[in-house]
Amino acid sequence: MTITTERVLQSDPLKIADRCDQCGAQAFVRVVFGPSRDLLFCGHHYHRHEPTLVARHPYITVRDERHKINEKPSLSANAD
């Protein structure tokens, strides 16, 4: 996989409102195929599809923020 560091640094960080294109969960990974083509993935779906994406699209740009998963617990996780 070729990760273009400059592109990743220039792209905006993912927000809570960004949702996985497959299941609607919070997105933690953005895969950019070109100037106007990208997919958003939750951690689970990116892990599942990463080998195929890498094999079929060697020049994608990936912004991987999975390290932020559970960084801030959700309100529901702290409900009494």
Side-chain angles (χ1 to χ4, degrees):
M1 171 173 28
T2 302
I3 298 176
T4 308
T5 307
E6 293 174 357
R7 174 88 185 227
V8 171
L9 293 176
Q10 292 174 0
S11 66
D12 292 334
L14 292 164
K15 301 176 183 97
I16 292 174
D18 291 325
R19 296 292 167 191
C20 176
D21 290 320
Q22 200 155 30
C23 70
Q26 184 177 351
F28 286 94
V29 180
R30 174 181 284 127
V31 178
V32 179
F33 296 92
S36 61
R37 288 185 54 207
D38 68 346
L39 288 172
L40 298 176
F41 290 98
C42 64
H44 164 79
H45 281 114
Y46 182 70
H47 178 75
R48 177 188 282 176
H49 296 294
E50 182 179 16
T52 304
L53 287 167
V54 170
R56 292 187 183 174
H57 306 281
Y59 299 106
I60 59 175
T61 301
V62 178
R63 180 175 186 96
D64 187 346
E65 296 183 4
R66 288 180 289 174
H67 63 279
K68 293 181 178 179
I69 294 174
N70 294 327
E71 193 173 73
K72 284 182 167 180
S74 67
L75 293 175
S76 61
N78 296 322
D80 292 320

